[in-house]
Amino acid sequence: MRRAKISADEGARLAAVAEYGLSDPKADPRLQEIAGAAARRFEAPVALVTLVRQADQLFVARLGLEEGSTPRDVSFCSHALGSDDLLVVLDAKLDPRFTDNPLVVGPPYVRFYAGAPLRAPSGHIIGTLCVIDQRPRGGFSARDRQALRALGLRAAERMEELRLAHARAAGPARFRPAAAASSEAVACTDAQGRVTFWNEAAARLFDVAASEATGSQLVDFLPSLR
């Protein structure tokens, strides 16, 4: 079994993982819906949204597995951390990285794996959306790849919402830097509906600079709500 290489910036990647504030295997309902959609689309008995931590991979959504996590050193998802694209293993028994992996030779007897990397605003890959089967597959088409990437983007968007929610709960000192770095549009208002915070993604979405938006009524930028 070949263990995944650990990158030189692993410390920064783990810091990015910590920003999500996820530490137990309680599944997020919206991520669970995405995992279910992936399982149906690829007719896979197992679908997971994983967060790869220092010693394990935490399943923040799971379908078809009882375990809430598995050790990182045997996980398929850890091999996706250094990739910018999908990791597809058509038959794990024929892949030297996984042929003697405990998850292949024992439960859950993984033979097929396809995972889309989930990227944090920092650029680090924090985990994957993956589908797993106990049977090998003969191929994974361009349409399949496109569909898995699209579902992976949905999962990454939900993870970003969780990251911002964790920062918001920690207070302004944590929330503003997190929101400023977010790829999602974030705007905050006071009790009178005046904009107090407007990140770069919001500036691009509405084509309005933060300096212009701040102090204005948020509704002024949302004509359908006037």
Side-chain angles (χ1 to χ4, degrees):
M1 181 183 69
R2 296 182 185 176
R3 289 181 169 82
K5 294 181 179 179
I6 296 178
S7 66
D9 65 344
E10 177 64 3
R13 194 196 70 80
L14 290 173
V17 168
E19 291 183 10
Y20 293 81
L22 299 171
S23 59
D24 62 63
K26 182 180 179 180
D28 175 75
R30 288 188 43 199
L31 288 174
Q32 193 72 17
E33 291 177 5
I34 296 169
R40 291 190 297 273
R41 168 61 178 79
F42 298 102
E43 299 181 348
V46 176
L48 308 166
V49 179
T50 73
L51 191 68
V52 181
R53 303 187 294 186
Q54 183 171 13
D56 66 359
Q57 60 173 355
L58 178 71
F59 303 145
V60 291
R62 64 188 186 276
L63 182 72
L65 277 185
E66 291 297 326
E67 295 85 354
S69 65
T70 57
R72 174 175 173 174
D73 61 356
V74 299
S75 75
F76 281 60
C77 296
S78 62
H79 288 263
L81 299 182
S83 174
D84 289 330
D85 200 5
L86 308 181
L87 172 64
V88 178
V89 181
L90 297 178
D91 189 345
K93 284 193 173 181
L94 301 179
D95 190 314
R97 294 172 296 179
F98 307 110
T99 183
D100 59 349
N101 187 297
L103 302 179
V104 175
V105 300
Y109 299 103
V110 177
R111 293 292 296 277
F112 167 78
Y113 171 96
L118 307 181
R119 192 176 297 278
S122 63
H124 297 97
I125 296 173
I126 57 169
T128 70
L129 165 68
C130 66
V131 290
I132 294 169
D133 201 344
Q134 289 80 25
R135 297 179 298 175
R137 302 208 176 177
F140 201 69
S141 70
R143 181 172 294 183
D144 289 335
R145 289 174 177 272
Q146 183 179 14
L148 185 56
R149 289 188 190 100
L151 288 165
L153 286 174
R154 285 176 55 189
E157 288 170 358
R158 175 55 182 161
M159 289 294 289
E160 178 62 3
E161 292 174 359
L162 294 174
R163 187 182 77 92
L164 292 174
H166 178 64
R168 188 179 297 112
R174 288 280 297 277
F175 174 71
R176 284 182 176 267
S182 178
S183 59
E184 300 290 315
V186 179
C188 300
T189 67
D190 60 18
Q192 287 72 45
R194 294 187 294 263
V195 174
T196 59
F197 178 83
W198 189 265
N199 73 350
E200 285 298 320
R204 290 193 298 271
L205 177 64
F206 295 101
D207 195 24
V208 176
S211 58
E212 181 180 347
T214 302
S216 301
Q217 290 288 320
L218 178 62
V219 70
D220 291 341
F221 305 107
L222 306 170
S224 61
L225 299 182
R226 290 179 181 176

